[in-house]
Amino acid sequence: MKFSSFIAAVFICMGLACSNPVSEPNTLTEKEKAEGWQLLFDGKTTNGWHMFSKPEMKHSWKAENGELTTASSDTTGTHGDIVTDAVYANYELVFEWKVAREGNSGVFINVQDDTSYMATWATGPEYQLLDNQNAKPGYLDGGKTGAGALYGLTPIKNKVEPKAAGEWNQSKIIQVNGKISFWLNGAMTAEEQIGSEQWNKMVAESKLAVFPDFGKATKGHIGLQDWAKGVSFRNIKIKTL
């Protein structure tokens, strides 16, 4: 290649790089905005989220270093699950998460935010977040409670491991008319239809059967679990389908 051609190629590549910048955490590209994506976390505040069934209560979740996070050692607020102010039915939700060593958390969908329910998990199915590598022996329950699982109902569909504790994972949840699919680091981990014969059978045979309204709604709040050791989220984005 001639030197002049080489220089031209370099400038072309630089131009392309400038026109396709890497998105900063907790921001939307112009393309994402055009496609209808919305941020559920602005990277700076906990706006848009509140304590489950207690919207006025000060909770322990914080926005720190561009992360929506909580830790068991934090005593500045009440510990508990938080949920979105808004409700959602048909959508694609993407988010990044990491847990501390031995961390255990979850993302709930279709949560009914009502004081008549004791917790988020009394109504909303859970996308499990877990430090698989350091889970207690037997805890994974054949894959039903590992990272990416539809918690307590069915083993993950495709073998995939979460990143080590403290490293970011990429997850996705899609729901359309009650058909849900979970994804972890590019692999589908669950796919079920809420209300189907198979769904009802799974719920009835699980420990979640003690909650009469569990897994019946196909619309509700999205919840984040404050459970053990600490968890952080970023790049929480949703698009209505």
Side-chain angles (χ1 to χ4, degrees):
M1 179 184 292
K2 293 183 179 179
F3 182 74
S4 58
S5 299
F6 173 77
I7 294 298
V10 169
F11 276 103
I12 291 173
C13 291
M14 290 175 62
L16 289 173
C18 290
S19 63
N20 295 281
V22 176
S23 178
E24 291 293 321
N26 310 309
T27 62
L28 295 174
T29 65
E30 291 304 316
K31 182 175 183 293
E32 287 175 322
K33 292 177 183 178
E35 292 174 345
W37 288 93
Q38 295 180 309
L39 288 174
L40 292 186
F41 172 54
D42 62 15
K44 301 175 182 178
T45 71
T46 61
N47 292 346
W49 299 86
H50 64 269
M51 179 76 87
F52 170 76
S53 81
K54 299 178 179 68
E56 303 304 320
M57 180 175 285
K58 181 182 178 182
H59 53 72
S60 64
W61 292 80
K62 294 180 172 59
E64 293 182 341
N65 302 316
E67 302 173 14
L68 181 56
T69 185
T70 186
S72 56
S73 59
D74 191 332
T75 59
T76 60
T78 301
H79 280 274
D81 298 354
I82 55 173
V83 296
T84 54
D85 293 344
V87 299
Y88 302 93
N90 301 320
Y91 56 85
E92 179 176 347
L93 171 71
V94 297
F95 56 96
E96 296 181 30
W97 60 275
K98 64 180 180 180
V99 290
R101 183 180 174 84
E102 300 180 352
N104 185 334
S105 183
V107 174
F108 298 94
I109 61 173
N110 304 331
V111 174
Q112 304 305 294
D113 186 21
D114 191 295
T115 54
S116 62
Y117 299 112
M118 64 179 295
T120 50
W121 31 265
T123 61
E126 178 183 358
Y127 181 114
Q128 171 77 319
L129 310 179
L130 189 76
D131 174 18
N132 282 14
Q133 296 178 17
N134 296 296
K136 294 180 180 179
Y139 180 82
L140 297 181
D141 191 19
K144 288 185 179 181
T145 57
L150 178 55
Y151 179 84
L153 295 179
T154 182
I156 61 173
K157 291 178 67 69
N158 297 293
K159 184 175 177 56
V160 58
E161 288 294 327
K163 303 289 182 62
E167 296 184 16
W168 290 106
N169 294 272
Q170 288 75 42
S171 292
K172 177 169 63 175
I173 298 173
I174 298 176
Q175 175 171 261
V176 179
N177 299 326
K179 183 174 182 179
I180 58 176
S181 60
F182 291 176
W183 302 75
L184 172 62
N185 295 330
M188 179 186 282
T189 54
E191 186 176 38
E192 300 293 341
Q193 176 66 54
I194 295 175
S196 67
E197 182 177 347
Q198 177 175 319
W199 177 268
N200 294 336
K201 183 175 185 293
M202 287 192 306
V203 173
E205 294 176 351
S206 76
K207 63 183 181 181
L208 296 162
V210 298
F211 305 113
D213 291 333
F214 173 81
K216 291 186 176 179
T218 57
K219 178 180 181 180
H221 301 263
I222 294 166
L224 305 180
Q225 187 178 42
D226 178 3
W227 190 250
K229 302 293 185 178
V231 62
S232 296
F233 296 88
R234 70 180 184 186
N235 289 330
I236 313 174
K237 305 175 183 182
I238 196 166
K239 177 174 68 172
T240 299
L241 300 177

